[in-house]
Amino acid sequence: MSLSSSSAASLPRMRMFDKIPSAEEFISEIEPLNVPAVFSGCIKNWKAFSQWNPSNGGLDYLQEKAGSSTVEAMLSQQAPVFYGDIRSHERVSLPFSTFIGYCKDNLCDRCDGEDSFLESKKHTLTESHTGQFEFPEQIYLAQVPILNIECTEKVQLECLREDVEMPPFLESKTISSINLWMNSAQSRSSTHYDPHHNLLCIVSGCKQVVLWPPSACPFLYPRPIYGEASNHSTLDLDEPNFCAHPRAEHSDEYSQKIILHGGDALFIPEGWYHQVDSETLTIAVNFWWRSDMMSGLSDHMDSYYLRRILRRLIDKEMNQLLHLPSLVDDKIDGNQSDQPNTRVPGGVQLRQMSVLHETDQLAVSALQKLVSLVHERVNPNQPVNSTPANNLAVEGKDESNEIMKPDLFNLKDDPVALLLWTLQPLALRCVLLAMAHNFPRTLEALILLVLSPVGAEVLTRKFEEMDQLIGEEDRSQFFQIFYGVFDNQIAAMDALLNGKESFARQICVTKVRDYGEVSFTAVLSSRLKRKGMKKWSGFIFDSGWKKK
């Protein structure tokens, strides 16, 4: 058994156990973590481990015990790759004894030194159309039921149940199904996840399993959530198309690889993507059971959990998109940035801060650049001179000015948002107060005409950080000055809210697309038109920057 993993620091790491855990240990210390775990030598006491091994007469034993059973198998024209989605393979029935015969032939070929893997590739490429059973390498016994509590009539190999023991740490679980997996030649299964917890037990042979956490879903391009194979990746195993699937180039960074041998067992939590390579004549048994979380979900709570999970994904993505270091010297803040829990003493005369001194060079530079950016956006053909005489006029502008407002969601693409982000909160307060005093119409244009969705998110986050650094009196006075610039203070508030929610909406659409391969753009757009942009999400904000 060997383990390798990617270099991603935050990736949940697979755990290795040489000792079989008790039921109590598994329930309290392993299962709740939802992280894969390997149990070395876990099933060596099984009758199946000693009786099924093809190298020790196991094929004769299986033929005698279950040869008369009819089993359902996967037939793949792309063998040795077996894609699990229903469009990429056929389901065929055959006597278990026939499949055992294929295995015996392959065992003889191995003894004679023939490379069955190369032969299977040749047959697949040149002659697979001549007959579905002519080339047994195209047949894979995948998920053949030994036990199925939901549909007993589907059970095909119940006679093998006595050879398979329940692992002691699963004794308290309600097992949904026990299945046989068996291949006569080398095989590869497509990348997918299971909606149940899974214990994969290697009876004989060897399997290499590559695992990805559920958070790596966007890199694996899952099939649409409404499809019949929504738990499968769309990526081609042999030749992934990085032009069509560019994120897939980074999928290996989130993967972990384990090689399992006879006697080993691997716990694969629900939702973990896995891709399995099996060597010739590998036999495995797996157990599926529902997780406690899924078992405890009430139907009437589904929509609530969906909204909460989407909100979590949105918040996480926004934090990642805006995770850029501040580039402006901390001196602007009077060293307050180094003390995030220290409040500025009350009674500061904010109106005295409205005129920046020449000694505050960094703040003056930021103010000049911000004024210049607003002028360039609103009046691109007019020269910019950062004096009160060159203030912008917003009054009387028609609705065509809405076209000027940038629809930007990437911080690095928006110079205004990036400038706001690089300023420390108290430095930004100084700049905005100076704008309110010296360039009130420019400040109005910034909020109403220039601020993009990502800019609105950045600015309001800076306001919230500012709230933690100043007292209630100063906060109230600051926002009184800030909003006092606007002829219509409600319009200013709406511009900030609409920008924030447009930013969150875009991330929501992106996350739904990445995790579910569903485009909700048209659906959400229609909702926005019917209900108004700022109403669609139901998200709640609570900070001092909102006008009371």
Side-chain angles (χ1 to χ4, degrees):
M1 176 175 54
S2 60
L3 169 68
S4 62
S5 61
S6 72
S7 58
S10 60
L11 184 68
R13 298 297 174 185
M14 191 183 312
R15 303 175 70 190
M16 314 291 288
F17 295 88
D18 292 327
K19 178 184 176 183
I20 301 176
S22 66
E24 293 75 15
E25 290 172 333
F26 183 79
I27 292 172
S28 62
E29 301 176 15
I30 300 174
E31 185 180 24
L33 297 180
N34 286 312
V35 174
V38 179
F39 307 104
S40 179
C42 175
I43 65 164
K44 286 187 175 181
N45 61 331
W46 284 11
K47 185 177 180 181
F49 181 76
S50 60
Q51 297 294 325
W52 295 6
N53 192 329
S55 300
N56 298 325
L59 297 178
D60 291 332
Y61 174 86
L62 289 171
Q63 179 141 344
E64 182 179 349
K65 192 172 185 70
S68 60
S69 301
T70 299
V71 295
E72 192 174 78
M74 291 178 67
L75 171 66
S76 174
Q77 303 295 334
Q78 298 167 290
V81 177
F82 291 82
Y83 290 96
D85 65 286
I86 197 168
R87 290 183 174 88
S88 300
H89 71 272
E90 298 178 53
R91 303 296 294 186
V92 296
S93 295
L94 74 162
F96 189 47
S97 59
T98 299
F99 183 78
I100 294 296
Y102 296 157
C103 294
K104 288 183 176 182
D105 292 341
N106 223 338
L107 184 61
C108 292
D109 291 341
R110 292 179 68 189
C111 294
D112 293 338
E114 294 187 17
D115 191 332
S116 62
F117 176 62
L118 292 179
E119 287 298 309
S120 70
K121 293 282 283 188
K122 180 181 69 176
H123 292 327
T124 301
L125 292 173
T126 62
E127 301 180 69
S128 62
H129 63 280
T130 60
Q132 63 176 14
F133 297 115
E134 185 172 351
F135 304 111
E137 294 87 355
Q138 297 176 350
I139 300 293
Y140 178 34
L141 295 192
Q143 194 180 328
V144 180
I146 297 174
L147 170 73
N148 189 317
I149 63 171
E150 296 177 356
C151 189
T152 56
E153 58 267 23
K154 288 186 177 181
V155 176
Q156 300 165 11
L157 292 175
E158 187 176 9
C159 56
L160 298 181
R161 178 68 184 89
E162 62 183 22
D163 293 351
V164 176
E165 297 181 21
M166 181 74 68
F169 52 87
L170 295 185
E171 288 178 351
S172 64
K173 301 297 180 182
T174 301
I175 300 300
S176 302
S177 63
I178 303 174
N179 306 287
L180 175 74
W181 306 75
M182 189 171 177
N183 53 286
S184 63
Q186 290 187 359
S187 66
R188 308 190 72 197
S189 70
S190 57
T191 304
H192 67 285
Y193 68 84
D194 297 322
H196 292 73
H197 283 335
N198 183 5
L199 186 71
L200 176 63
C201 305
I202 312 303
V203 177
S204 66
C206 176
K207 286 182 181 285
Q208 174 185 278
V209 185
V210 185
L211 298 127
W212 293 264
S215 57
C217 175
F219 301 95
L220 300 174
Y221 291 87
R223 294 184 180 277
I225 194 66
Y226 51 79
E228 293 299 315
S230 59
N231 62 322
H232 283 261
S233 167
T234 59
L235 298 179
D236 187 286
L237 283 181
D238 289 330
E239 298 180 355
N241 186 342
F242 293 132
C243 292
H245 306 118
R247 293 190 302 272
E249 286 193 88
H250 304 283
S251 63
D252 286 347
E253 299 172 17
Y254 298 87
S255 68
Q256 299 176 76
K257 185 184 297 182
I258 183 71
I259 297 177
L260 305 168
H261 299 277
D264 295 335
L266 170 64
F267 169 54
I268 306 176
E270 63 176 354
W272 275 73
Y273 283 86
H274 49 284
Q275 185 273 315
V276 183
D277 289 355
S278 303
E279 74 169 15
T280 300
L281 296 177
T282 294
I283 305 175
V285 170
N286 88 297
F287 298 79
W288 273 325
W289 71 98
R290 294 188 72 188
S291 67
D292 291 341
M293 189 196 74
M294 293 305 297
S295 298
L297 283 180
S298 301
D299 290 345
H300 68 278
M301 297 295 289
D302 287 350
S303 59
Y304 164 72
Y305 288 126
L306 175 62
R307 290 178 64 85
R308 284 297 304 271
I309 291 170
L310 275 176
R311 181 72 249 190
R312 280 166 57 96
L313 289 172
I314 291 169
D315 289 342
K316 181 179 178 181
E317 183 69 11
M318 285 196 294
N319 290 335
Q320 290 177 345
L321 289 175
L322 300 179
H323 185 64
L324 291 177
S326 179
L327 304 180
V328 177
D329 198 312
D330 292 341
K331 292 179 182 178
I332 297 178
D333 273 359
N335 296 323
Q336 289 298 328
S337 61
D338 294 332
Q339 305 175 33
N341 296 321
T342 302
R343 289 182 175 274
V344 175
V348 176
Q349 297 299 312
L350 295 187
R351 294 188 185 276
Q352 295 178 3
M353 302 171 64
S354 61
V355 180
L356 295 176
H357 299 288
E358 291 300 324
T359 55
D360 301 326
Q361 289 298 322
L362 291 175
V364 171
S365 176
L367 174 63
Q368 291 174 338
K369 186 173 182 180
L370 186 58
V371 170
S372 175
L373 288 170
V374 175
H375 276 258
E376 289 174 1
R377 182 66 188 175
V378 177
N379 294 317
N381 298 321
Q382 295 184 11
V384 178
N385 184 354
S386 57
T387 64
N390 209 7
N391 229 332
L392 290 177
V394 178
E395 300 86 354
K397 291 188 179 292
D398 58 33
E399 294 182 358
S400 64
N401 281 312
E402 289 297 320
I403 301 174
M404 294 189 298
K405 195 161 188 175
D407 191 27
L408 297 175
F409 298 91
N410 191 323
L411 187 59
K412 294 180 180 179
D413 295 336
D414 187 344
V416 173
L418 188 58
L419 176 60
L420 296 175
W421 186 248
T422 57
L423 286 167
Q424 295 289 340
L426 298 184
L428 178 60
R429 181 180 65 160
C430 295
V431 170
L432 293 176
L433 287 171
M435 289 188 72
H437 178 77
N438 296 292
F439 310 104
R441 298 284 72 81
T442 302
L443 177 58
E444 188 175 12
L446 168 66
I447 302 302
L448 297 180
L449 300 178
V450 175
L451 204 62
S452 68
V454 67
E457 180 64 30
V458 167
L459 181 58
T460 52
R461 285 191 178 215
K462 291 294 181 180
F463 285 163
E464 290 162 2
E465 293 175 24
M466 194 186 304
D467 288 348
Q468 304 301 315
L469 298 172
I470 63 178
E472 180 65 33
E473 181 181 350
D474 286 342
R475 181 175 64 174
S476 177
Q477 191 176 4
F478 168 78
F479 285 113
Q480 183 178 355
I481 296 171
F482 177 81
Y483 283 109
V485 167
F486 299 89
D487 295 332
N488 186 341
Q489 296 182 8
I490 300 299
M493 174 60 61
D494 280 350
L496 291 174
L497 279 173
N498 288 346
K500 279 181 69 72
E501 293 180 358
S502 178
F503 185 62
R505 170 186 173 270
Q506 180 62 35
I507 292 177
C508 179
V509 171
T510 300
K511 290 294 97 180
V512 171
R513 180 200 66 203
D514 289 349
Y515 284 88
E517 286 298 314
V518 178
S519 175
F520 279 1
T521 304
V523 177
L524 293 178
S525 297
S526 64
R527 288 194 64 186
L528 291 174
K529 290 179 181 178
R530 291 198 307 268
K531 299 187 177 183
M533 186 186 301
K534 66 183 180 182
K535 300 295 185 181
W536 79 270
S537 66
F539 301 154
I540 298 175
F541 304 100
D542 186 14
S543 178
W545 62 268
K546 297 181 293 301
K547 191 70 178 173
K548 300 290 174 54

